[in-house]
Amino acid sequence: LVKKTVESIVFYGLEKEMYLTAFQRRIPILGLESGRELLEHAREINPVIQTHIIATWPTNLPFLIKAYQPQIISLGWLTQPFTISLMSKVLYQLIALTIDLKSQIKEAGEMGVKVLGGVVNKPEDVSYFEELGVNGIMTDRPHEMLKFLKENKIP
């Protein structure tokens, strides 16, 4: 499947338009079935394929960049089910006590990697990720978030 996907991306000239995405780690109990190995395999097939890694535990973004060489890293929390959403937010609060994510996001940018925050569906989540300095956000509610961003003059 990975080989066919890479072949299709190259055939249609979409190497600069698409990012293959996978979680840093496969965690079946949370329903996170894809893993970085798929991205590594895609890069073995064709090194120009762009990749996007979702940091399962974002405790060392520079290490992830060096290890997996993605063009984009996402961090944030899942929205469903509620228990996973709550666990994700609690994890981020604990990480914030010991790790300076803002500095790591800045360092990622200096390494040429964009960092996205998500899944952002509430105004307070937008503010959280904006304060961290992410390059963009992902949301399940684009119309609501665009309205919020415009009303609050957030770029």
Side-chain angles (χ1 to χ4, degrees):
L1 181 60
V2 172
K3 184 177 180 188
K4 288 290 182 191
T5 301
V6 170
E7 287 173 354
S8 294
I9 290 170
V10 172
F11 179 80
Y12 289 104
L14 299 172
E15 300 93 339
K16 301 291 182 199
E17 313 298 324
M18 295 183 71
Y19 296 87
L20 294 182
T21 300
F23 286 93
Q24 171 191 353
R25 289 192 181 89
R26 184 177 170 274
I27 306 175
I29 194 167
L30 298 180
L32 307 177
E33 293 296 332
S34 66
R36 65 168 170 75
E37 297 84 7
L38 296 173
L39 302 182
E40 291 169 344
H41 182 56
R43 280 255 181 79
E44 289 169 3
I45 296 167
N46 189 327
V48 301
I49 294 299
Q50 298 187 106
T51 59
H52 166 213
I53 204 94
I54 300 170
T56 312
W57 315 118
T59 56
N60 190 337
L61 298 182
F63 169 79
L64 289 178
I65 292 167
K66 289 174 187 166
Y68 309 125
Q69 302 175 354
Q71 285 72 36
I72 298 175
I73 291 181
S74 292
L75 46 98
W77 39 80
L78 300 171
T79 58
Q80 297 295 327
F82 176 74
T83 53
I84 299 300
S85 175
L86 185 59
M87 271 183 18
S88 298
K89 287 188 178 186
V90 168
L91 172 69
Y92 269 81
Q93 290 173 352
L94 293 173
I95 288 172
L97 295 173
T98 58
I99 295 169
D100 185 358
L101 271 176
K102 190 172 188 171
S103 293
Q104 288 192 29
I105 290 168
K106 183 178 178 186
E107 187 175 346
E110 292 166 356
M111 296 171 81
V113 175
K114 294 187 184 305
V115 178
L116 303 178
V119 171
V120 177
N121 289 332
K122 297 179 182 174
E124 62 268 19
D125 296 342
V126 172
S127 299
Y128 173 80
F129 286 110
E130 181 188 26
E131 288 175 22
L132 283 178
V134 297
N135 299 102
I137 60 169
M138 294 178 291
T139 182
D140 293 333
R141 300 181 184 144
H143 296 295
E144 292 174 34
M145 288 297 106
L146 282 172
K147 182 180 175 186
F148 170 78
L149 294 172
K150 285 178 184 177
E151 287 173 356
N152 292 281
K153 298 181 173 120
I154 299 173

